Amino acid sequence: MKLVVGLGNPGPEYERTRHNVGWWVVDHLADVWRFPPWRDAPHARAADGDLDGRRVRLLKPQTFMNLRGDALEAYAHRPFWSAANDLLVVVDDVALPIGTFRFRAKGSAGGHNGLRSVEAALGTHEYPRLRIGVGRAEPVPGEVLRDFVLGEFERDEAALVRERFPALLAGVHTWISDGIIAAMNRHPGRSAPPEPPRESSPPPAPPLAPPLAPPAPPPDDPSSRV
């Protein structure tokens, strides 16, 4: 079974915050894939379905960020289930600008309490994750990181995140069918940089004027004959 876990905080006061973008993504997956309604699961809400002949479970842990891993402990001990192959954690990342994302096969928690809890529950940092950019283009001096991630998106920022949903959907689908390396290679998560403007070619030189005809000889003057 493939498990896609979106990280977020429970409660209506957190629904529109940067820290809950992982829930936004798994909610979108459940809607597009037409999974059955969310149901209660240990420490989480779950939605199950089949995709391309594979069993897929979407999970929204209901504990707060520093206890996210509680919802994964049961899976870590299942036979024939591997976090490296069967788990994808969807998480916000302040190091990435809004409108970008990154698939990664493994990595450190990077100061994220949710990832730190997941790592503690699994006993490894070798599990795929999908990092969703929520960072500012320019940092605000003196801004407290906790206040920033628990703050709400501006309207244009939220729209920019949602514009990436089709690309995120395609990337997660690739991970389910072909694995994390394929998802990383096919879905780099950043728009291609614009091509540099091409230098305009100089206009063609005008054609050379035809050579002038030699001057005609002066007319013969009979009076000059000797």
Side-chain angles (χ1 to χ4, degrees):
M1 179 181 67
K2 297 293 186 180
L3 184 64
V4 182
V5 180
L7 299 191
N9 284 316
E13 66 271 31
Y14 297 108
E15 287 179 359
R16 293 183 293 274
T17 64
R18 296 175 178 86
H19 231 10
N20 273 44
V21 73
W23 281 16
W24 292 17
V25 174
V26 293
D27 278 334
H28 179 71
L29 298 178
D31 289 343
V32 173
W33 291 339
R34 300 184 182 276
F35 279 11
W38 293 92
R39 60 176 178 80
D40 289 333
H43 305 292
R45 299 278 288 167
D48 296 348
D50 292 312
L51 192 69
D52 296 340
R54 291 177 173 84
R55 191 68 176 168
V56 178
R57 175 169 295 173
L58 306 177
L59 206 67
K60 296 193 294 185
Q62 296 296 298
T63 51
F64 284 91
M65 276 294 181
N66 59 335
L67 299 173
R68 297 284 87 176
D70 290 359
L72 296 177
E73 287 183 355
Y75 299 93
H77 299 96
R78 287 190 176 192
F80 311 112
W81 189 87
S82 164
N85 297 319
D86 301 318
L87 173 65
L88 179 69
V89 176
V90 187
V91 61
D92 58 289
D93 191 337
V94 296
L96 295 177
I98 291 174
T100 64
F101 63 88
R102 286 288 181 273
F103 283 93
R104 286 291 179 263
K106 59 184 178 179
S108 69
H112 195 288
N113 287 336
L115 292 181
R116 187 179 292 119
S117 178
V118 169
E119 183 175 317
L122 298 175
T124 179
H125 63 270
E126 295 189 3
Y127 60 88
R129 70 281 314 268
L130 168 55
R131 294 180 175 270
I132 313 294
V134 299
R136 297 188 192 276
E138 295 291 337
V140 175
E143 185 172 51
V144 178
L145 179 60
R146 183 180 184 277
D147 294 339
F148 175 71
V149 296
L150 292 179
E152 295 187 0
F153 283 106
E154 301 293 339
R155 181 175 298 181
D156 59 336
E157 293 176 335
L160 189 56
V161 171
R162 295 185 187 279
E163 285 176 6
R164 304 298 281 160
F165 279 1
L168 296 170
L169 176 72
V172 175
H173 200 156
T174 296
W175 170 74
I176 291 171
S177 60
D178 298 321
I180 187 60
I181 301 302
M184 291 168 59
N185 291 337
R186 299 178 200 168
H187 307 276
R190 189 186 295 270
S191 300
E195 293 185 3
R198 296 180 179 179
E199 296 182 2
S200 55
S201 302
L208 297 176
L212 296 176
D220 187 17
D221 185 359
S223 61
S224 62
R225 296 175 183 172
V226 177

